[in-house]
């Protein structure tokens, strides 16, 4: 009898929430979840970088008194770009929720959501806002099952059009409901937003069935469906606007996604092996429709379009581990097909339709991708560790259209060997070697001049020292990148080249005493780019770059106040080669900036941090200009 009741509740849930998740913005998987309001905090960030000013405020606060809960959440961002004209963009989101737990079966409440988007640029949608006021009731028919119907009012503004109407729906979830040996996890939602003449919809269901055959051995079956519809205003042409007597046209975009997945995996703490095998089939449909179409003024661009996509994924992973090593092998195979179609319009010439349909067909594509990844970590001794990783991918990309010549095959192989030696409890030494091989072959002659091979080799070495009052991290890296085109003799536009680089990095911290410390960060990069011949393995230098960066800072700590001053130096010089190895300065950018940093912990959960620097910039002509940077960050957890 008990199992019969469970099946009845489960059937009722599926029937009541089978069409779920529509497309207003998918604002939340659950609109009425209290978890989004539980982390009480206030963050304020002001940042000035070059000609961009950003102010961001995030505020979350909630309170619970016995069975009554309320919470508020706000996020506001304002961005100002100062160029030839000033651009101001504001984004704000505010929500307030409150509910009361009458009994273990019923919890009514309400939620208010308000959002504003404003951009003073002349773009399609530069002004938009919505206000939703919703009443809801959470029902708990049995343990681990929640059903929430809701109804409310929506005031939505977009492109100077104001639409009002109702918003209603139902959502629910099942959290690990056990039926015999199967655990059920389900989230679902159905929502309509009727704000005439627009209509937004959300349909969503995600069903997971999990069965544990044995300790660590599990099988998971997932079924997913979502359909999102959203109506947008856009500016019509003058003929359409006059004929239909409208200020704005409406485009409807509906996207549907489906997938079916099965996964079998085994991971047990007492076992040396583990594996994970899964298969997934995915469908995706995108449909675009224009509300008002003036057929007497039709052209190929008048037609709407739709996209059908199919995807097949296989994924397998195998792990082996013991006291001395851990190994993982992962195999992935993916097939994907995407079709683009034009939609017919009654009363419009088939000549225009065929022309648009041919353009859409050029976007059709098929892809097959195979990937293998191997990772091994070896504990050679108590002081020596060695890791090895290999990644190999093959991509076959086809375009059925006779007018699309993007068909290509691609191979990518990446190899890495890393060795770590713990010389002492305070000092670690490492050596790292990486190599990449990437080959791209275009099938058709129209694009075969792009055929190339990229080879990258990197070698790095360095160490880490961590002492009581002194810590430092240093590394040296040399790298060489060679790009060779197959047919550079036939097409001088594509010239094989090499890019070589030396790089040294340093990060050091010193505690002078209990209140004073010093931090130094910096790097040097020397880069050379030139024409390259793989046959002779010879390079003719064309361009040289020198980049230097250092930032020493000294800090003073007094109780909860940490104050730092320092200097920021950055230099970037580019050179061209006049003859042989003779370099000539082309451009130079040098920046010297005194800086300060203040961090104040007002109380353990409230702190403020201020960074600022004033930059003096000179170029190769010794022209001077100044620039101010500032960053203010306030965090309050309460």
């Amino acid at each position: 009898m008990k199992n019969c009741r469970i099946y009845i509740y489960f059937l009722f849930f599926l029937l009541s929430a089978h069409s779920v998740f529509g497309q207003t913005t998918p604002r939340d998987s659950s609109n009425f979840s209290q978890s989004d309001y539980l982390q009480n905090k206030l963050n304020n960030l002001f940042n000035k970088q070059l000609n961009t000013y950003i102010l961001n405020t995030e505020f979350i606060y909630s309170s619970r008194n016995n069975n009554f809960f309320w919470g508020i959440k706000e996020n506001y961002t304002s961005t100002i770009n100062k160029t030839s004209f000033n651009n101001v963009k504001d984004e704000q989101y505010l929500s307030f929720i409150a509910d009361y737990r009458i009994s273990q079966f019923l919890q009514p409440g309400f939620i208010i959501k308000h959002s504003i988007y404003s951009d003073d640029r002349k773009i399609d949608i530069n002004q938009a806002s919505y206000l939703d006021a919703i009443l809801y009731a959470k029902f708990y028919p049995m343990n681990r099952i929640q059903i929430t119907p809701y109804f409310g009012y929506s005031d939505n503004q977009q492109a100077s059009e104001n639409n009002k109407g109702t918003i209603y729906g139902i959502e629910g979830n099942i959290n690990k409901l056990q039926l015999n040996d199967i655990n059920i996890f389900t989230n679902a939602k159905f929502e309509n937003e009727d704000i005439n003449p627009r209509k937004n919809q959300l349909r969503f269901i995600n069903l997971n069935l999990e069965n544990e055959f044995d300790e660590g051995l599990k099988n998971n079956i997932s079924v997913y469906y979502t359909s999102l519809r959203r109506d947008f205003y856009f500016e019509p042409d003058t003929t359409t606007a006059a004929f239909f007597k409208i200020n704005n046209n409406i485009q409807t975009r509906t996207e549907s996604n489906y997938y079916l997945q099965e996964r079998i995996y085994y991971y047990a703490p007492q076992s040396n092996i583990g594996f994970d095998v899964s298969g997934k089939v995915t469908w995706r449909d995108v449909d675009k429709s224009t509300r008002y179409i003036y057929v007497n003024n039709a052209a190929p661009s008048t037609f709407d379009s739709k996209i059908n996509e199919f995807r097949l994924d296989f994924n397998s992973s195998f792990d082996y581990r013991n006291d001395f090593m851990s190994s993982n092998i992962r195999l992935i195979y993916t097939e994907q097909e995407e079709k683009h179609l034009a939609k017919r319009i009654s009363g419009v010439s088939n000549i225009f339709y065929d022309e648009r349909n041919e353009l859409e067909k050029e976007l059709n594509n098929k892809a097959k991708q195979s990937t293998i990844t191997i990772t091994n970590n070896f504990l050679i001794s108590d002081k020596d560790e060695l890791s090895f990783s290999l990644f190999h991918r093959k991509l076959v990309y086809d375009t059925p259209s006779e007018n699309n010549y993007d068909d290509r095959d691609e191979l990518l192989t990446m190899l890495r060997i890393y060795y770590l030696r713990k010389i002492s409890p305070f000092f670690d030494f490492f050596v790292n070697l990486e190599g990449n091989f990437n080959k791209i072959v275009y099938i058709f002659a129209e694009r075969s001049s792009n055929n190339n091979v990229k080879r990258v080799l990197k070698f790095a070495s360095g160490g880490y020292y961590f002492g009581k009052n002194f810590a430092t991290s240093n590394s040296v890296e040399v790298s060489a990148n060679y790009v060779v085109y197959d047919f550079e003799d036939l097409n001088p536009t594509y010239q094989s080249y090499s890019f070589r680089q030396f790089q040294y990095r340093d990060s050091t911290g010193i505690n002078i005493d209990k209140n004073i410390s010093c931090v130094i960060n910096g790097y040097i990069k020397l880069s050379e780019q030139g024409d390259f011949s793989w046959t002779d393995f010879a390079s003719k230098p064309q361009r040289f770059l020198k980049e230097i960066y250092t930032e020493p800072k000294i800090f003073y700590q007094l109780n909860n106040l940490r104050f730092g001053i320092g200097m920021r130096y950055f230099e970037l010089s580019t050179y061209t080669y006049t003859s042989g190895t003779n370099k000539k300065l082309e451009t130079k950018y040098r920046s010297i900036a005194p800086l300060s940093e203040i961090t104040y912990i007002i109380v353990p959960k409230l702190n403020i941090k201020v960074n600022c620097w004033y930059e003096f910039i000179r170029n190769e002509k010794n022209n001077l200009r100044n620039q101010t940077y500032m960053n203010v960050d306030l965090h309050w957890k309460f």
Side-chain angles (χ1 to χ4, degrees), residues 219-328:
N219 176 226
N220 183 281
I221 298 176
S222 300
V223 179
Y224 176 92
Y225 165 75
T226 180
S227 177
L228 299 94
R229 167 181 166 162
R230 190 161 184 80
D231 287 354
F232 300 93
Y233 282 115
F234 69 96
E235 187 176 351
D237 60 80
T238 54
T239 306
T240 303
F243 182 81
F244 291 101
K245 299 179 180 179
I246 57 174
N247 295 321
N248 292 287
N249 208 336
I250 298 175
Q251 183 184 89
T252 298
R253 186 182 189 276
T254 304
E255 179 173 344
S256 300
N257 289 274
Y258 324 73
Y259 77 69
L260 175 64
Q261 175 179 274
E262 182 168 10
R263 178 186 174 206
I264 299 176
Y265 56 100
Y266 173 74
Y267 289 103
Q270 72 280 5
S271 176
N272 290 339
I273 65 171
F275 65 85
D276 191 333
V277 180
S278 65
K280 184 177 179 181
V281 183
T282 306
W283 298 267
R284 174 175 172 262
D285 299 323
V286 179
D287 191 303
K288 297 179 182 179
S289 299
T290 302
R291 181 76 57 88
Y292 303 102
I293 298 176
Y294 184 55
V295 295
N296 294 331
N297 196 32
S301 59
T302 306
F303 292 85
D304 293 312
S305 63
K306 57 182 179 181
I307 304 171
N308 298 322
E309 182 182 314
F310 173 79
R311 183 183 176 101
L312 186 63
D313 294 279
F314 293 101
N315 193 329
S316 63
S317 177
F318 178 80
D319 293 89
Y320 176 79
R321 54 193 178 274
N322 56 33
D323 295 336
F324 307 103
M325 69 167 290
S326 62
S327 179
N328 173 267

Side-chain angles (χ1 to χ4, degrees), residues 579-621:
S579 61
T581 58
N582 296 325
K583 296 192 292 287
K584 178 184 177 182
L585 181 65
E586 186 179 29
T587 64
K588 186 172 183 177
Y589 176 96
R590 185 177 65 183
S591 163
I592 301 176
L595 58 86
S596 64
E597 178 180 320
I598 300 174
T599 303
Y600 183 49
I601 303 176
I602 303 171
V603 293
K605 294 185 177 182
L606 174 62
N607 66 81
I608 185 172
K609 184 176 181 179
V610 180
N611 288 316
C612 58
W613 63 92
Y614 190 74
E615 193 172 30
F616 298 90
I617 303 170
R618 291 186 182 273
N619 60 14
E620 67 279 0
K621 298 179 180 179

Side-chain angles (χ1 to χ4, degrees), residues 461-528:
S461 181
Y464 312 97
Y465 178 84
F466 302 96
K468 181 179 180 181
N469 295 313
F470 178 77
T472 184
S473 170
N474 297 269
S475 66
V476 176
E477 179 183 283
V478 290
S479 62
N481 185 343
Y482 304 102
V483 179
V484 180
Y485 288 92
D486 291 353
F487 306 107
E488 61 181 353
D489 295 336
L490 302 178
N491 190 343
T493 306
Y494 299 95
Q495 182 68 44
S496 300
Y497 67 89
S498 65
F499 183 82
R500 297 164 177 164
Q501 186 177 84
F502 167 85
Q503 183 178 177
Y504 171 75
R505 289 185 176 274
D506 174 78
S507 179
T508 301
I510 305 171
N511 293 325
I512 300 173
D513 63 25
K514 66 177 183 178
N515 295 326
I516 302 176
S517 61
C518 180
V519 176
I520 303 173
N521 293 302
Y523 64 81
I524 299 174
K525 291 182 183 179
L526 304 176
S527 309
E528 180 190 83

Side-chain angles (χ1 to χ4, degrees), residues 84-97:
S84 56
F85 65 93
N86 293 340
N87 168 233
V88 181
K89 182 173 69 174
D90 294 323
E91 298 176 80
Q92 184 262 354
Y93 174 81
L94 174 68
S95 66
F96 178 84
I97 190 172

